[in-house]
Amino acid sequence: MNPIDAREADILKLAASEADVVLLRQHLKDIVEGTAFRGSHRSGQFLSYIVEQAITGNFESLKERVIGAELFGRSRSYDTGEDAIVRVTASDVRKRLLQHYGQYGSASAFRISLPLGSYIPEIAHDPAAESVRSGIENAPEPVPVPHPGPATLSSESPVAQDAPNASAVVLQLESGHRVRAFRHLWLVLGTLVVVLNLGLWSLFWFRPAARPGTVSELPWSVFFNSAHPTHLITSDPGIVNVQELTGTQLSVSDYANHLFIPEPNSLTPDEIRFSHILLGGDSSSAAAVDTPIAVGIATLARNSASRLDVHGARSIRFADLKTDDNFIFLGSPRSNPWVALFNDEMDFQFSFDKTSRQEFIRNVRPRQNELPAYYPTAQGWATGQSFGIVALVQNQDQDGHVLLLAGASGEGTEAAGKLVTDLPRLSSILKSCGLNLTGRPMHFELLLRFNAMAGSANNIDVVACHILKAH
């Protein structure tokens, strides 16, 4: 029996008990109304839909095209390759489920998950565990998972090997299954990075004879007319998920030293275990943003003599930045901690609001008609207004330059990428800012405002432009 058939059989067995279905629906209600899903009505609807379809045996409804039509109002013939709303929402649901169980995993006899590559949920049921608690989110303190003894907490071994009871065995088996799945995912993601690099190199290999100066205006003249290579550093979505789960803000120092889970002694065993899982988690949303930007930049660079390569944020070190090479960073300090190294050089700096648990942009040198802070009305994958930045700065104590393309959400990074690869519009904007586009490089910063809808950035406007002074 394959894993999906086994999952369907387990669900049908559970659904045969009316009492268990009542408890499961109460558990589902607690999750959807809890803090992890608060602020994401779409993800809550998605989770409710797939669980209800599963327990009623409608597994044929749990396919991407059907979900897109039934839940999101798409036509039955819509292009799932162009419209990724189902895949994006599923990725967000996985993240929010891990958040929920990281905090409240020990309070229920059920555990719902959504394995990668499928929209059929996995519903683990342990009758020996404590029954579902109504209103769990209002409990004064989450009850920690019983921890039988010392465990080696690493991505290879997230839980203790010796478990004295059935619930611990279930957790251990589930964790092992996920670790194997994420090992496979990392192999796939590694392959994607290699393929992307090969794609970038093919643009250079098969290009016509280089015509230096083809892109002669800022910021690209800085990178493509340089004798030094340019390194494009993509974001790290796993780090965002860990910070959301643990309620912490990771410093660039800890990130550089691979201390991805700060103060583990303050976390429950479930939070630590899920943090390790998140560090190897689903990167589809980040890939959907970063890859088109990388390809767009590579297309601009194909007629230059300069070299362009791509690295993941987690693969570089402080020493890699201590060169005269040029760098392009994608993402804000929360998704790409290296960006925080350049905060002091910028007027528009990213900050994190612990109350709303979201990033905003602080204007440290407001000018006439500018606000001291810009707060998005839409968090990731929601609908509303948000902000991003484009900044060209100096690499500290080096001769190289750094281009930052970042947003308070993934859509903000997408907006920045769209603008910098639209050369006619970018040139017009920079000229209106008073920049000399063809002379000595001038450092600048643009504040972008855009409308976010269904994971996309539209109606991108520049609300402020600052020419930065040398530091």
Side-chain angles (χ1 to χ4, degrees):
M1 184 180 292
N2 65 48
I4 293 180
D5 289 341
R7 201 181 314 151
E8 292 179 2
D10 288 342
I11 292 172
L12 292 175
K13 181 180 178 181
L14 184 151
S17 168
E18 185 176 340
D20 286 341
V21 170
V22 170
L23 290 175
L24 175 61
R25 284 182 169 140
Q26 179 59 51
H27 177 62
L28 178 64
K29 182 174 182 289
D30 289 339
I31 294 175
V32 171
E33 295 179 355
T35 55
F37 279 77
R38 192 169 296 159
S40 182
H41 180 65
R42 178 195 297 166
S43 291
Q45 279 187 317
F46 186 97
L47 180 61
S48 298
Y49 175 85
I50 63 172
V51 171
E52 285 295 334
Q53 293 298 315
I55 60 179
T56 54
N58 296 325
F59 298 111
E60 289 300 312
S61 297
L62 298 178
K63 295 180 179 179
E64 182 175 5
R65 190 180 302 279
V66 178
I67 295 173
E70 295 293 331
L71 191 59
F72 299 119
R74 302 307 196 254
S75 70
R76 287 282 178 175
S77 59
Y78 86 102
D79 188 344
T80 57
E82 291 292 329
D83 188 341
I85 188 170
V86 175
R87 297 191 299 277
V88 166
T89 307
S91 175
D92 187 63
V93 166
R94 292 185 186 101
K95 178 189 72 175
R96 293 178 187 275
L97 282 172
L98 289 172
Q99 271 186 262
H100 175 85
Y101 289 115
Q103 292 179 290
Y104 307 104
S106 63
S108 172
F110 296 93
R111 187 180 294 268
I112 303 170
S113 61
L114 183 57
L116 292 169
S118 172
Y119 301 110
I120 298 175
E122 184 176 273
I123 305 174
H125 181 211
D126 181 8
E130 185 178 355
S131 298
V132 175
R133 298 176 182 175
S134 298
I136 183 175
E137 299 292 330
N138 296 321
E141 293 292 337
V143 179
V145 171
H147 194 53
T152 304
L153 297 172
S154 69
S155 59
E156 297 296 325
S157 178
V159 292
Q161 296 298 313
D162 297 318
N165 56 51
S167 60
V169 171
V170 170
L171 288 175
Q172 183 177 345
L173 291 175
E174 179 192 43
S175 179
H177 170 74
R178 294 189 184 198
V179 168
R180 287 191 296 274
F182 287 123
R183 280 178 183 161
H184 174 71
L185 176 62
W186 271 115
L187 178 60
V188 172
L189 292 176
T191 303
L192 287 176
V193 170
V194 172
V195 170
L196 180 56
N197 271 293
L198 289 175
L200 295 178
W201 277 109
S202 69
L203 288 172
F204 288 90
W205 186 261
F206 294 106
R207 70 174 185 259
R211 298 190 298 272
T214 301
V215 181
S216 59
E217 298 179 342
L218 284 177
W220 302 118
S221 57
V222 170
F223 298 98
F224 301 154
N225 296 330
S226 172
H228 296 281
T230 296
H231 308 285
L232 190 151
I233 313 301
T234 59
S235 60
D236 186 345
I239 289 299
V240 179
N241 295 336
V242 169
Q243 290 172 105
E244 289 181 356
L245 172 64
T246 60
T248 59
Q249 182 74 358
L250 191 68
S251 70
V252 66
S253 177
D254 282 345
Y255 187 75
N257 288 295
H258 286 200
L259 300 176
F260 301 134
I261 307 175
E263 301 181 11
N265 291 337
S266 66
L267 306 177
T268 68
D270 254 5
E271 287 173 327
I272 294 173
R273 186 168 66 87
F274 282 125
S275 291
H276 283 294
I277 293 173
L278 288 168
L279 287 171
D282 187 352
S283 300
S284 58
S285 57
V289 172
D290 292 0
T291 301
I293 297 174
V295 172
I297 293 172
T299 302
L300 294 177
R302 67 181 302 177
N303 290 326
S304 77
S306 181
R307 194 181 88 223
L308 173 68
D309 53 33
V310 178
H311 308 274
R314 213 182 295 180
S315 69
I316 66 170
R317 305 164 300 165
F318 273 120
D320 297 325
L321 303 179
K322 299 301 181 182
T323 71
D324 291 333
D325 291 355
N326 301 302
F327 293 86
I328 301 171
F329 289 91
L330 305 184
S332 70
R334 196 150 171 90
S335 62
N336 195 336
W338 297 108
V339 173
L341 292 174
F342 309 98
N343 242 5
D344 291 343
E345 298 185 52
M346 299 191 294
D347 290 351
F348 298 109
Q349 301 179 1
F350 285 93
S351 296
F352 184 69
D353 186 332
K354 292 184 178 180
T355 302
S356 63
R357 300 187 72 174
Q358 70 177 111
E359 279 185 306
F360 67 97
I361 296 176
R362 189 185 304 278
N363 186 356
V364 298
R365 298 177 185 86
R367 300 178 185 177
Q368 187 174 7
N369 299 323
E370 292 181 359
L371 300 175
Y374 293 84
Y375 287 85
T377 60
Q379 298 186 23
W381 309 107
T383 298
Q385 180 179 271
S386 193
F387 301 92
I389 65 163
V390 174
L392 178 66
V393 300
Q394 188 80 31
N395 191 0
Q396 298 170 348
D397 302 320
Q398 309 296 326
D399 289 337
H401 296 270
V402 173
L403 180 67
L404 305 169
L405 308 177
S409 62
E411 296 95 326
T413 303
E414 177 193 358
K418 284 182 176 179
L419 179 60
V420 298
T421 52
D422 183 350
L423 294 186
R425 187 181 182 205
L426 178 64
S427 176
S428 175
I429 289 170
L430 295 181
K431 284 178 182 176
S432 69
C433 292
L435 282 158
N436 180 358
L437 304 187
T438 58
R440 183 179 178 182
M442 299 176 68
H443 297 149
F444 66 88
E445 193 170 7
L446 305 177
L447 176 66
L448 314 181
R449 178 179 59 206
F450 61 92
N451 293 329
M453 180 178 293
S456 295
N458 301 290
N459 302 322
I460 304 166
D461 294 319
V462 176
V463 295
C465 172
H466 288 192
I467 299 175
L468 302 176
K469 296 180 180 179
H471 286 73

